[in-house]
Amino acid sequence: MNFTRNIIITGGAGFIGSHVVRLFVNKYPEYRIINLDKLTYAGNLANLKDVENKENYVFAKADICDFETVKGLIAKYNVDGIIHLAAESHVDRSIKDPFTFARTNVIGTLTLLQAAKEYWESLPEGYENKRFYHISTDEVYGALELTNPEGIESPFTTKASSEHHHAYGTKFFTEETKYNPHSPYSASKASSDHFVRAFHDTYGMPTIVTNCSNNYGPYQFPEKLIPLFINNIRHKKPLPVYGKGENVRDWLYVEDHARAIDLIFHKGKIADTYNIGGFNEWKNIDIIKVVIRTVDRLLERKEEEDMNLITYVTDRKGHDMRYAIDSRKLQRELGWEPSLQFEEGIEKTVRWYLDNQEWMDNVTSGDYMKYYENMYGKA
Ligand code: NAD
Ligand code: TYD
C-alpha cells in the first residue's frame, strides 16, 4: 500500500503515546504510523493490542539515544513527520536518578533532531512538508503561588472544568511565561524544548512545541497519583499523600490531549508553541477524595469507607505548589476544546482500571517486561 505520510511517534507504548498512536492509526488509514519505543518499565505494548495488527501500524523497538538506528528508521520509512513523546516522565524517579532523565530527555531529543535534520537535508525537497512536533509539559514554567488556598471562581472555563470551576491563584502559565524548572524532570524537559527551538532557529527545521498540564485516563503507569491511588484503594492499601495534600494540579483527560496533538500536528503554526489544558485545577487532597468516593461507589462499598486509607507522608523534595495552564491561545487560534467534563473523565478512568485488573496486575508485577524482553530483548 502507498501511504500518503510516514510518521514516527516516539514513546508510543507509554501512557499518552499509546492514545496518540491509537487515534492516528484509526483515524488516518492512509498514514503509516511507526511507533518507536525502547520499552522501558513505562512502555507496554499491551497498551496497543487493539491496533497492533493494523496494516498502517509498525512497531520499532529502539532507543532515541541510538543515532544510527534512529536515522536508519527515519530513512527506511522515508519519514516526513515526527511526534516525539518518548521520555522519562516521573518526577520522583528524576529526584533519585537525574542522569537517566538528562540522557533520555535531553540527549535523546537532540539525537532525534539531528537524525531528522541529516535525513531531511539530504532530500531534494529538504524541509518542505516535514514536521518535528515535540510534546512537553507545563512543569517547565516552574510553580505558581497558592494565593487563594480556598479557591476562587476561575475567570476561565471549558467543558473539562469540573463543576466547581476553581482557581487557586490569579496567575496562569501562558506561552510567554519564562521557563523556571525546579525538578530534574522539568529541567530536562525544558532543556529539550530549547534544543527543539534551536533547531528551528539555526537550521530552519519545521518544529512545534506544546506544553500540556497533568493527564489522567486509562493506561497510565501506576506510579502516578491517580492510577496508583485507584489500585491502592482497591487493595485497601495506604494512600501516601505528600505534605499536606495542598498542591494544585490542572487535570486533562488523556484523549483530549491526543485530540489536541492531532489538531496541532496538522494545523499548528511552524515554530510556534501552544499550551494545552482545560482550566481544571484541583488540590491533591480534593481529587483524592473524589477518587475514593468513585472507587467505593463502583465497588459498592460503604460510602467513604476508604477515606481512612489517606496517609500523610513526607513531602516530595522541591514539590511545585501549583500548576495552572492558560490554553486560550489554542482555543482561539485552532478552535480546540476539551470534550469531556472532569467528573465524567474520572468515572471513566476509575471504571477502566477496575475493569482491567489484569493489565494492572501485569504492570505491577513486571510480567509484561519479561514477556517483551523474550520477544525484543532487554530495554
Ligand atoms: P510514560 O512514562 O508513560 O511513557 C514514556 C514512553 O517512552 C514509554 O513507552 C517508554 O518506553 C518510552 N521511552 C522512554 N525512554 C525511551 C528511550 N530512551 N527511547 C525510546 N523510548 C523511550 O510517559 P507519558 O506520561 O505518556 O508522557 C509522554 C510525554 O508527554 C513525555 O514527553 C512527557 O514529558 C509528556 N507529558 C506528560 C504529561 C503527563 O501528565 N503524563 C503531561 C504533559 C506532558
Ligand atoms: P504525579 O502524578 O507524580 O504528577 P506530577 O508530579 O507530574 O504533577 O503527582 C501529582 C501530584 O500528586 C503531585 O503534587 C504529587 C502528588 N502525589 C502524592 O501526593 N502522592 C503520591 O504517591 C504521588 C505519586 C503523587
Side-chain angles (χ1 to χ4, degrees), residues 89-92 139 185 214 220 223-226 228-229 239-243 245 247-249 251 284 288 313 316 319-320 323:
S89 67
H90 190 43
V91 174
D92 293 328
E139 304 192 25
Y185 164 64
N214 283 61
Q220 186 168 32
E223 62 187 351
K224 305 275 167 53
L225 181 76
I226 291 183
L228 175 73
F229 278 32
L239 307 174
V241 181
Y242 299 162
N247 303 66
V248 170
R249 296 292 181 266
W251 294 93
N284 288 344
I288 289 163
V313 300
R316 175 186 276 172
H319 197 172
D320 285 340
Y323 302 143

Side-chain angles (χ1 to χ4, degrees), residues 216-375:
Y216 71 98
Y219 300 112
Q220 186 168 32
F221 195 80
E223 62 187 351
K224 305 275 167 53
L225 181 76
I226 291 183
L228 175 73
F229 278 32
I230 294 172
N231 196 40
N232 283 10
I233 300 164
R234 182 185 187 122
H235 295 290
K236 299 263 182 204
K237 291 210 296 222
L239 307 174
V241 181
Y242 299 162
K244 294 186 182 146
E246 289 198 326
N247 303 66
V248 170
R249 296 292 181 266
D250 183 353
W251 294 93
L252 183 68
Y253 191 66
V254 61
E255 287 180 5
D256 279 330
H257 187 190
R259 285 176 43 252
I261 290 173
D262 174 20
L263 181 66
I264 294 162
F265 178 75
H266 289 97
K267 304 259 171 65
K269 232 170 56 217
I270 297 295
D272 219 340
T273 292
Y274 300 88
N275 281 353
I276 308 173
F279 291 107
N280 181 40
E281 290 178 53
W282 282 82
K283 257 193 217 183
N284 288 344
I285 192 63
D286 292 338
I287 208 169
I288 289 163
K289 288 179 180 162
V290 171
V291 171
I292 295 173
R293 285 190 196 107
T294 311
V295 175
D296 282 349
R297 180 164 48 76
L298 293 179
L299 288 180
E300 298 179 3
R301 290 180 180 171
K302 254 199 354 261
E303 211 176 313
E304 312 219 336
E305 89 172 44
D306 290 317
M307 288 294 171
N308 60 3
L309 297 175
I310 292 176
T311 309
Y312 291 93
V313 300
T314 311
D315 208 353
R316 175 186 276 172
K317 285 192 176 73
H319 197 172
D320 285 340
M321 189 43 96
R322 170 174 171 251
Y323 302 143
I325 270 278
D326 181 340
S327 59
R328 283 176 300 162
K329 173 176 168 181
L330 177 59
Q331 292 174 30
R332 192 176 57 241
E333 292 189 7
L334 299 183
W336 175 83
E337 273 278 345
S339 68
L340 208 66
Q341 213 224 1
F342 179 70
E343 283 73 9
E344 291 169 340
I346 274 289
E347 165 113 13
K348 239 174 125 154
T349 301
V350 172
R351 206 180 276 284
W352 187 86
Y353 286 99
L354 296 180
D355 287 349
N356 287 274
Q357 190 56 38
E358 202 187 336
W359 180 92
M360 183 62 88
D361 290 343
N362 262 330
V363 296
T364 46
S365 70
D367 275 357
Y368 70 105
M369 296 210 68
K370 285 181 219 122
Y371 177 74
Y372 291 115
E373 267 166 32
N374 287 338
M375 233 151 96

